[in-house]
Amino acid sequence: VSKCQGDKLEGQNPCPRQPIQGLMKGDKLEEQGPGPEPTAPQQPTEEEEALIEFHRSYRELFQFFCNNTTIHGAIRLVCSQHNRMKTAFWAVLWLCTFGMMYWQFGLLFGEYFSYPVSLNINLNSDKLVFPAVTVCTLNPYRYTEIKADLEELDRITEQTLFDLYKYNSSNTVVARPRGRRDLRDTLPHPLQRLQVPPPSHGARRARSATSGMRDNNPQVDWKDWKIGFQLCNQNKTDCFYQTYSSGVDAVREWYRFHYINILSRLSDTLPPLEEDLLGNFIFACRFNQVSCNEANYSHFHHPVYGNCYTFNDKNNSNLWMSSMPGINNGLSLMLRTEQNDFIPLLSTVTGARVMVHGQDEPAFMDDGGFNIRPGVETSISMRKEALDRLGGNYGDCTENGSDVPVKNLYRSKYTQQVCIHSCFQESMIEQCGCAYIFYPRPQGVEYCDYRKHNSWGYCYYKLQVDFASDRLGCFTKCRKPCSVTSYELSAGYSRWPSVTSQEWVFQMLSRQNNYTVNNKRDGVAKLNIFFKELNYKTYSESPSVTMVTLLSNLGSQWSLWFGSSVLSVVEMAELIFDLLGITFLMLLRRFRSHYWSPGRGGRGAQEVASTPPSSFPSRFCPQPTSPSLSQPGPAPLPALAAPPPAYATLGPCLSPAGSAGPSSSACPLEEC
C-alpha cells in the first residue's frame, strides 16, 4: 500500500485538500470520474477572498454590462440575441447614436477652445470726469522771429513758383528765371516739373467714361505732368521722385521738408521759445460758469501746429467734473484766429486745431484733431463710451503695454497710437540714423538734417511706404489696450457774432484784448465743449462658453442620445477598465506559457526529484484513487491548479488496478 493510501486508511491525510485560488469569475470545476466522495470544501476566509474579480471572457463582460448598465438601449443588444436581425439593428442604432453624440461633443469642445466672446452693453449714469481738451494756434512760430532763418528757403520758393507757374508773389523776383543748376547749388532737392507719359487711348477712354467730374487739381497748358523733387540714397545709386498731381500739395510738402531740416538746427542753436501768454490766444475761458486760471492748463509746442494749450490734463490738481449736461455746464473758449504773423508758405489754414482726449493720453493733433472756423461758434457735444476687452486666450490686447516689444517714447500711459509712433521712430533711428522731429527722440539721438544726414529724406519716404503697408510690423506689434475710453463727438455751427451784435463785441475785444477791429469776424472764433448727456455706455466682453456652460451642454447631449447621467459615464469608465484588465491578464498568461514553460527543462526535473515530498505544496499532492479505498458516490473533483511546467519526475497516480485515473493531479512516483 502506498504512503498516500496508508495515510488515508489511518484517517490522516498528509496532503489535505486546499481551496482553489486564481480562478477568474465564471470558471467551473471539471467533474472527475468515480471516486471517493469529496469532503465539504472549506469556506474561504476574508484574507483569501479576491479584491478584484474579472470576467473570464469579453462576451461575459459584455453581457454583464448590457444587463446592468443604466444606459438606454444597451439591454436590447443581449435580450434579442436569438433574433439576429434585431440584434444587428440595435447594434447599428446604438453605434450610430454613440457616434452622433461624440460628434456633438467634438463641436462643443471646438467651440469652447475657440474662446468666443459676448459683448455686453451697459448703460450707466453718474457724474463724469471732463476730458482733456487741447487747442493749438495753427502757427508754429511768429514769422518775424524766424524770418531770418527762413529767408533763403522763402527766396528759393518764390523763385520756384515763378519758374513753374509764372507767379510773382513779390516784386523782388527777377524776370529771368534761375536755372536748375543755380537752385541746386544753394538748396538740395529742388522742386521740378516732371513730364508724365500720356496714357494709352483705351485708358483715356476708360478714364473719361468713369469720371463725370473734372479734376480739381490745377491744370497748366492742359498737359499731363506732375510736380516733385528727387531723393537719392547715400551712394546716389538709387533715386526716385516724390511727386504730386497738385501743385499746392507739392509746394507745401517740399517747403515742409526743408522747414524740418531748418527746425532741427534751431532747436540746438536758438534758446527755447518763450510761451505765449494765454491772453494772446485765448480771450476768455470758462468751465461750469467759472473762469479758468493758470492751474487749469498746461502748454507745449508742436512743430507745425504751434503753441498748444491743454485744459484739465493730468497735471491739474483738481480735475473738472460734470454733474449736469448742456452747453452751460461745459468748457467755453473765445479764441484769437488772426493771421497777421503766420508763416505764409507753411500755415495755409486759418482757425484753430482742437482735440478731445483722456487726461493721461498725449494729444496727437494730426491723428485725432479737427479745425474750427473763424467767425463761427462751434459747439461740440460729447458722449462717453468705455470698452473693456478680454485678454489672454480671448483677445489680443494688453493691460499696460509691458508685454509689447516696443519702447514707449512718450511720458504717458500705453495707447495704440503711442506704440505706433514709437515703433516708427525706432525704425527711423535704426534705418536712417536719425530721429524724426515730430516724434520724441531717445537720449543721445539727433534729429534728421540733410546737412548731417544727406539721405534721410530718401530713407524717410521709403520708410513711410513700408509703414503704410505694415512691412515694418508696427500694427502687428502694437496691440490694442484692454481698457479704452473714448468720446463720441458731434458738432454744430452758427455764425458768431451776429450782425446786430458784432459792433459792440468787437469794440469790447479791442479795448480789453487789443483785438484789431478791422479783421472783423476773421480774427475770432468761439468754441463750446460739453456733455450731451451723463448717460454713458460701457461695452464689456465676457466668455461666451465657460466651463459650466460646456459641462451643461455635454450633459444635455448625453441625456439626449442615451438618457443617462454622470453615473452612466462612470459605468463606461468601469467597462473600459475591465476590458483593459482582462486583456492584460490574457497577455500575461500567454507570456508565461510561452516564455516560462519551455525554459525549465532538465534543471527543473532535478530540482523536483531532489525535493522531499513533505516540502511540496498541498495543492500538488495527488488524491487517492484506489478502488479498495473508494466509496460509492460521485467522483471527487480533480485539483485544477497546474503544477510547475516540465516536471519529468511527476506523473499521474495510478489506481491499484493499473488503469490511469481521470484525475489530472500529479505526485512523486516513489511515493505513489
Side-chain angles (χ1 to χ4, degrees), residues 482-525:
C482 294
S483 298
V484 178
T485 300
S486 59
Y487 299 92
E488 181 184 355
L489 307 179
S490 57
Y493 305 94
S494 61
R495 185 176 180 177
W496 185 86
S498 63
V499 176
T500 57
S501 61
Q502 62 182 0
E503 292 297 332
W504 73 267
V505 170
F506 292 147
Q507 289 295 330
M508 292 296 295
L509 292 176
S510 64
R511 295 173 186 271
Q512 184 178 0
N513 303 101
N514 296 324
Y515 178 72
T516 304
V517 181
N518 296 331
N519 290 331
K520 295 297 181 179
R521 65 181 63 257
D522 292 336
V524 67

Side-chain angles (χ1 to χ4, degrees), residues 47 53 106 109 209 241 256 264 292 348 408 464 536 564 574 599 620 630 640:
E47 296 179 354
E53 295 183 353
F109 277 107
Y241 284 92
R256 177 172 170 169
S264 64
C292 308
T348 59
N408 189 350
Q464 279 281 10
Y536 65 96
S564 306
E574 182 185 14
F620 295 136
S630 61
L640 294 181

Side-chain angles (χ1 to χ4, degrees), residues 59-111:
R59 181 183 183 87
E60 183 179 343
L61 174 62
F62 181 71
Q63 290 180 351
F64 176 82
F65 175 78
C66 292
N67 288 326
N68 296 277
T69 184
T70 58
I71 299 178
H72 292 187
I75 195 173
R76 304 292 298 181
L77 299 176
V78 294
C79 70
S80 58
Q81 59 184 351
H82 298 294
N83 192 330
R84 294 184 178 179
M85 181 176 293
K86 285 187 177 181
T87 303
F89 170 76
W90 280 101
V92 172
L93 183 61
W94 202 83
L95 291 176
C96 291
T97 305
F98 198 78
M100 288 293 296
M101 183 189 68
Y102 275 94
W103 175 62
Q104 294 291 328
F105 281 3
L107 295 180
L108 293 176
F109 277 107
E111 181 183 10

Side-chain angles (χ1 to χ4, degrees), residues 13 49 56 113 164 186 203-204 258 262 360 370 382 498 504 527 543 549 564 570 660 664:
N13 188 6
E49 291 182 354
R56 190 172 62 176
F113 286 107
L164 297 178
T186 57
R204 188 176 303 173
H258 290 284
I262 297 174
D360 48 0
F370 57 92
M382 302 181 298
S498 63
W504 73 267
L527 174 66
T549 307
S564 306
V570 179
S664 61

Side-chain angles (χ1 to χ4, degrees), residues 184-308:
R184 191 178 294 110
D185 294 339
T186 57
L187 199 66
H189 313 293
L191 194 65
Q192 305 175 24
R193 184 174 67 182
L194 306 175
Q195 186 71 30
V196 178
S200 61
H201 179 69
R204 188 176 303 173
R205 291 183 57 187
R207 184 176 63 181
S208 61
T210 55
S211 177
M213 299 179 62
R214 191 178 300 274
D215 191 2
N216 292 326
N217 295 331
Q219 301 289 337
V220 180
D221 296 334
W222 301 99
K223 295 180 180 179
D224 291 330
W225 51 270
K226 291 185 177 182
I227 303 294
F229 50 97
Q230 189 182 39
L231 298 167
C232 298
N233 60 356
Q234 185 75 23
N235 301 325
K236 308 295 182 181
T237 57
D238 184 20
C239 299
F240 72 94
Y241 284 92
Q242 184 71 18
T243 60
Y244 302 88
S245 59
S246 170
V248 176
D249 294 339
V251 172
R252 287 188 68 251
E253 184 64 25
W254 179 79
Y255 190 92
R256 177 172 170 169
F257 173 72
H258 290 284
Y259 165 77
I260 290 175
N261 292 272
I262 297 174
L263 196 62
S264 64
R265 298 191 293 269
L266 290 178
S267 60
D268 297 331
T269 58
L270 294 181
L273 297 176
E274 296 182 357
E275 174 187 344
D276 285 348
L277 296 176
L278 185 66
N280 292 339
F281 173 54
I282 300 177
F283 292 153
C285 172
R286 294 177 65 85
F287 179 78
N288 278 348
Q289 305 299 321
V290 179
S291 298
C292 308
N293 52 46
E294 294 183 357
N296 300 132
Y297 74 92
S298 61
H299 169 268
F300 68 93
H301 185 269
H302 193 274
V304 172
Y305 297 110
N307 289 315
C308 299

Side-chain angles (χ1 to χ4, degrees), residues 110-118 390 393-394 541-546:
E111 181 183 10
Y112 175 76
F113 286 107
S114 64
Y115 301 104
V117 296
S118 299
L390 288 177
N393 295 325
Y394 292 95
E541 293 180 349
S542 61
S544 297
V545 182
T546 61

